[in-house]
């Protein structure tokens, strides 16, 4: 599951669900301005739309918080040591302290970027062998670190939820900016 895409779907669904109430607010203001409805009726329509928007926003936040809990659980499970991940030749190279150039070590880390168990071993190897650990750290984030990155994304989604229809926060550029730190670790 791609959790960043799931968060974006929650936001997109929220904006889709908001359109009728935004339209009602606009129409109520237009009808009041033209004198077709009374001020009391316009207030009633506006209150109804505001209540619906508040409910939709709370629902979106609840979904985002549930997604964060689901992500935290999945991140913890993905970060648990996996003995099957240690059966390959790359692990043997690291365990036997096989001499590697920085380029070879970087290629090994790239090849195993979705294997947190092996990356931890690679960091250990890197620390023992001339400071190569940063190559492994480029790909490895602990479950705690990934949860914190995703929590930040969820918090930034609040700005998107509160954005006006014409705000740049509703656009792809803003989304790409808030998702970029989480994106490499969003699929568990």
């Amino acid at each position: 599951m791609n959790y960043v895409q799931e968060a974006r779907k929650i936001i997109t669904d929220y904006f889709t669900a908001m359109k009728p109430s935004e339209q009602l607010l606009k129409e109520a203001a237009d009808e009041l301005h033209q004198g077709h409805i009374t001020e009391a009726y316009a207030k009633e329509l506006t209150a109804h739309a505001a209540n619906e928007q508040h409910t939709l926003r709370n629902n979106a936040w609840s979904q985002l918080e549930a997604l964060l809990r689901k992500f935290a659980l999945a991140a913890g499970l993905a970060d648990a040591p996996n003995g099957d991940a240690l059966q390959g030749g790359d692990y043997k190279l690291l365990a036997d302290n096989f001499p590697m150039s920085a380029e070879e070590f970087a290629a090994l880390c790239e090849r195993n970027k979705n294997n947190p168990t092996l990356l931890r071993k690679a960091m250990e190897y890197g620390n023992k062998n001339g400071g190569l650990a940063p190559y492994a750290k480029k790909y490895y984030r602990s479950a705690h670190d990934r949860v914190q990155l995703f929590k930040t994304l969820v918090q930034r989604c609040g700005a998107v939820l509160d954005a006006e229809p014409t705000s740049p926060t509703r656009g792809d550029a803003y989304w790409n900016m808030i998702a970029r730190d989480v994106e490499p670790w969003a699929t568990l």
Side-chain angles (χ1 to χ4, degrees), residues 15 27 29 42 45 50 59 88 140 154 164:
F15 287 133
E27 288 174 3
L45 291 174
N59 184 39
Y140 178 74
V154 167
E164 294 296 321

Side-chain angles (χ1 to χ4, degrees), residues 43-65:
K43 279 186 178 180
E44 185 180 321
L45 291 174
T46 302
H48 175 72
N51 187 37
E52 184 177 336
Q53 288 177 338
H54 180 74
T55 300
L56 290 170
R57 186 179 188 287
N58 286 344
N59 184 39
W61 262 114
S62 295
Q63 290 175 359
L64 287 168
E65 289 169 348

Side-chain angles (χ1 to χ4, degrees), residues 25-39 42:
L25 287 172
K26 183 182 179 306
E27 288 174 3
D30 289 347
E31 293 295 318
L32 179 64
H33 181 69
Q34 294 174 7
H36 295 159
I37 61 174
T38 65
E39 191 171 318

